[in-house]
Amino acid sequence: MEIKEATAVILCGGKSRRMGFNKALLTIDGQFVLAKSAQHLQQLFPKVVLMTDQAGHFAGQAAFRELVIWEDRYPACGPLGGIASALEQITTPYAFVMACDMPEQPLAAISALAAQGSQSQVVLYQREGRLEPLFGFYHQSCLPIFQKQLHQGQRRIKQQFSQLQVAKVATEELLFTNVNTPEELSHWQKAEGMG
């Protein structure tokens, strides 16, 4: 798979209950982490999209004015709804999907993942036996399976992976950091300061 065959989609419609505020609007040093992430991904992908349950969250924010924003067609259905919404709207064969709570996007790791996925419908990293479903590639052909899941009330992304061709790329590295709580945010900010 070539990067030009994928549209990057950042999922930013979560409830952010553990953080206590909308993680999509997280700022560090006065900059929106989400906007910075999108700009970073633009170095790789021909198109980068923000997938949200409410586009109004970003209204009036200059940092998001130049970014493409799509509204989730399956609100309240979790990340699977966002992935299905993306697969319904992309014009490329693949969507590269990532969560908005990953302040670091290792571009080399994304490129390496794409290189492993020429014959697969789903391409994900696997570390210590665990798949990372919110940092990977999904082919448009996954859409009927995901739509059926949503119709049946199944929201777990991996629920029907047995029906799909899934490439699991083993890695020993911790390639990304999720920031879910104020404590994790504080820890990450301190680490950034030391770097």
Side-chain angles (χ1 to χ4, degrees):
M1 175 202 323
E2 296 182 28
I3 290 293
K4 67 181 181 181
E5 296 181 276
T7 300
V9 180
I10 306 177
L11 302 181
C12 43
K15 301 302 181 187
S16 306
R17 290 185 182 94
R18 286 184 287 170
M19 183 65 80
F21 62 88
N22 188 347
K23 287 187 291 187
L25 299 178
L26 173 66
T27 60
I28 293 178
D29 294 332
Q31 290 188 307
F32 286 102
V33 172
L34 178 57
K36 190 175 178 181
S37 296
Q39 292 162 4
H40 195 56
L41 290 173
Q42 286 171 344
Q43 298 176 48
L44 272 188
F45 294 95
K47 186 173 186 176
V48 178
V49 174
L50 307 184
M51 179 66 70
T52 178
D53 56 348
Q54 290 186 30
H57 288 321
F58 308 106
Q61 302 288 354
F64 298 100
R65 202 165 289 151
E66 302 299 319
L67 299 175
V68 179
I69 300 173
W70 289 347
E71 286 206 343
D72 191 339
R73 295 177 175 179
Y74 302 91
C77 289
L80 183 63
I83 294 172
S85 295
L87 294 178
E88 288 179 359
Q89 298 177 74
I90 59 173
T91 56
T92 52
Y94 285 89
F96 171 76
V97 175
M98 65 168 282
C100 72
D101 62 0
M102 296 176 176
E104 301 167 6
Q105 306 83 41
L107 298 185
I110 296 172
S111 297
L113 194 62
Q116 301 292 322
S118 59
Q119 303 298 322
S120 301
Q121 293 171 284
V122 181
V123 190
L124 303 174
Y125 276 114
Q126 181 173 267
R127 181 175 180 269
E128 297 178 350
R130 294 185 60 185
L131 286 174
E132 181 55 69
L134 294 183
F135 188 90
F137 291 88
Y138 294 85
H139 192 269
Q140 280 187 323
S141 59
C142 298
L143 183 57
I145 299 290
F146 292 161
Q147 287 174 325
K148 184 177 179 180
Q149 279 185 242
L150 291 166
H151 181 70
Q152 295 175 342
Q154 300 175 358
R155 299 181 184 177
R156 187 167 170 263
I157 297 171
K158 298 179 283 186
Q159 184 100 19
Q160 300 296 333
F161 270 12
S162 61
Q163 298 185 47
L164 300 168
Q165 295 174 326
V166 181
K168 302 173 183 178
V169 181
T171 180
E172 298 301 319
E173 299 179 54
L174 183 60
L175 296 170
F176 28 69
T177 303
N178 292 84
V179 178
N180 293 306
T181 66
E183 292 77 19
E184 289 175 354
L185 174 60
S186 177
H187 179 76
W188 182 78
Q189 288 174 317
K190 289 176 183 176
E192 283 291 286
M194 291 172 62

